[in-house]
Amino acid sequence: MGAMSVRPDTEAAAQQGADHAPHRAGFACFVGRPNAGKSTLTNALVGRKVAITSNRPQTTRHTVRGIVHREDAQLVLVDTPGLHKPRTLLGERLNDVVRTTWAEVDVIGFCLPADQKLGPGDRFIAKELAGIRKTPKIAIVTKTDLVDSKQLAEQLLAVSRLAEELGFEWAEIVPVSAVKDNQVGLLADLIAPLLPESPPLYPEGDLTDEPEMVMVAELIREAALEGVRDELPHSIAVVVEEMLPRKGRPADRPLLDIHANVYIERPSQKGIIIGPKGRRLKEVGTKSRKHIEALLGTPVFLDLHVKVAKDWQRDPKQLRKLGF
């Protein structure tokens, strides 16, 4: 659309023009090496827990979209898995998902933690980004609550130099703390004008378009990962087999039955997940049930089983069955 010129004598028309600033809508994705704060930032922007956050790297497997509704714009956040050097078939698939996503979004936000010096992993991603010419790229320096102003200034400078060295320019460089809700609103203000003119892509009430079963599986997986020894993060997959309203319940007291399987790769891992006398699995159930009830807004009966799917990360057939 061309710019509209307004003559000073048509004040009413000018006012009308101001009321109808074009609405924008589009997709943005946050990239960054594992554990750079992408999911936490998504949740802070959306204002509700949609992407799973975990303090261990590489827990996001699905492209979970959080949706930020504003008067002037609708921002759909696509949360890609962390890009990394692949070691397994699953790793390669995750990297393909990342590149495909980058090619389809309107804005890319590159998350770089304020408390960690730029490393080879960041360079690896920045190089990939340099190759994506058209899409505006915002550098987001995350976790600013963990550093003092001197350290932050040094990091902002290093981030600015990184783009220079690779021959591209950041559309913006923004320091944020998602945990302290510092500058998160500003980030949304900066992303909005970079989106194409468009009516809203999703209805007002939607916060994510990820199917509920997938989100439920992610919440169970997040709870199962908590406090587990380091050998397990990639070895857990959760599949929700069914979600059915319990028959014969009064309308004002519904209950949703959810049957889910937690898959691990080796029988020896079963004990870690289940815990002594089944205590750990019970905790996982209690914790994830609270989050699921908050997400779905209805009481839930959660039935969890642990199963072994031998070496599922390396087996294409099992990967497909588990949704990758």
Side-chain angles (χ1 to χ4, degrees):
M1 261 167 65
M4 223 170 63
S5 64
V6 181
R7 287 204 305 280
D9 57 324
T10 53
E11 229 167 83
Q15 183 52 47
Q16 195 183 346
D19 288 347
H20 291 282
H23 185 278
R24 295 178 178 275
F27 296 86
C29 76
F30 294 143
V31 303
R33 56 197 160 90
N35 213 11
K38 303 181 289 284
S39 295
T40 312
L41 189 56
T42 300
N43 293 337
L45 277 163
V46 176
R48 204 174 122 179
K49 190 164 176 169
V50 288
I52 73 163
T53 52
S54 158
N55 58 4
R56 50 184 68 253
Q58 262 187 274
T59 45
T60 312
R61 288 245 176 88
H62 293 282
T63 310
V64 179
R65 295 177 170 88
I67 301 166
V68 183
H69 300 276
R70 298 162 54 104
E71 284 288 299
D72 59 336
Q74 187 182 68
L75 170 60
V76 184
L77 297 168
V78 188
D79 192 23
T80 55
L83 190 76
H84 57 97
K85 295 206 163 76
R87 283 194 304 273
T88 61
L89 180 62
L90 173 66
E92 279 171 40
R93 286 220 184 152
L94 290 180
N95 281 359
D96 289 343
V97 169
V98 175
R99 291 196 187 90
T100 315
T101 305
W102 292 5
E104 290 166 356
V105 297
D106 302 297
V107 181
I108 298 172
F110 184 12
C111 296
L112 301 123
D115 63 330
Q116 295 163 35
K117 284 218 178 333
L118 300 188
D122 298 314
R123 243 164 224 299
F124 175 68
I125 294 171
K127 244 195 205 118
E128 294 270 335
L129 287 181
I132 299 172
R133 290 269 168 230
K134 287 196 184 117
T135 318
K137 294 166 269 292
I138 295 181
I140 306 164
V141 176
T142 57
K143 310 187 185 188
T144 55
D145 52 298
L146 302 179
V147 298
D148 58 24
S149 52
K150 182 173 171 289
Q151 212 178 331
L152 179 58
E154 283 167 7
Q155 187 72 326
L156 291 169
L157 201 62
V159 167
S160 161
R161 281 203 196 108
L162 179 64
E164 263 166 51
E165 283 166 28
L166 294 168
F168 72 93
E169 250 179 80
W170 300 116
E172 308 277 354
I173 300 178
V174 197
V176 303
S177 165
V179 173
K180 294 266 191 288
D181 199 20
N182 193 354
Q183 304 232 98
V184 173
L186 171 68
L187 176 61
D189 294 342
L190 294 171
I191 293 174
L194 298 173
L195 301 174
E197 288 182 18
S198 158
L201 304 165
Y202 290 89
E204 180 66 49
D206 289 5
L207 290 174
T208 170
D209 78 342
E210 193 66 4
E212 284 178 344
M213 281 170 100
V214 175
M215 290 185 69
V216 167
E218 290 287 273
L219 288 170
I220 295 169
R221 187 161 174 269
E222 181 180 15
L225 280 175
E226 236 164 80
V228 161
R229 292 213 305 280
D230 291 339
E231 69 264 31
L232 275 186
H234 306 300
S235 307
I236 298 179
V238 176
V239 176
V240 174
E241 298 295 336
E242 55 178 16
M243 287 176 30
L244 296 167
R246 174 86 52 98
K247 284 200 176 89
R249 297 280 293 192
D252 59 342
R253 287 190 33 245
L255 183 67
L256 190 65
D257 283 318
I258 299 181
H259 300 280
N261 291 326
V262 178
Y263 288 95
I264 46 178
E265 292 197 290
R266 294 187 296 283
S268 60
Q269 297 169 333
K270 216 168 174 172
I272 302 175
I273 293 282
I274 293 172
K277 296 205 169 104
R279 271 202 299 273
R280 203 157 177 280
L281 189 62
K282 213 169 173 175
E283 267 168 42
V284 170
T286 310
K287 196 167 256 171
S288 53
R289 197 186 72 235
K290 279 201 191 100
H291 287 309
I292 293 165
E293 290 181 337
L295 173 77
L296 302 177
T298 177
V300 161
F301 172 79
L302 183 58
D303 175 38
L304 277 187
H305 292 277
V306 179
K307 298 193 166 184
V308 178
K310 217 165 141 33
D311 288 333
W312 63 263
Q313 290 190 64
R314 287 183 168 72
D315 176 350
K317 217 159 61 217
Q318 304 230 45
L319 278 172
R320 268 200 304 281
K321 188 183 123 194
L322 298 175
F324 301 112

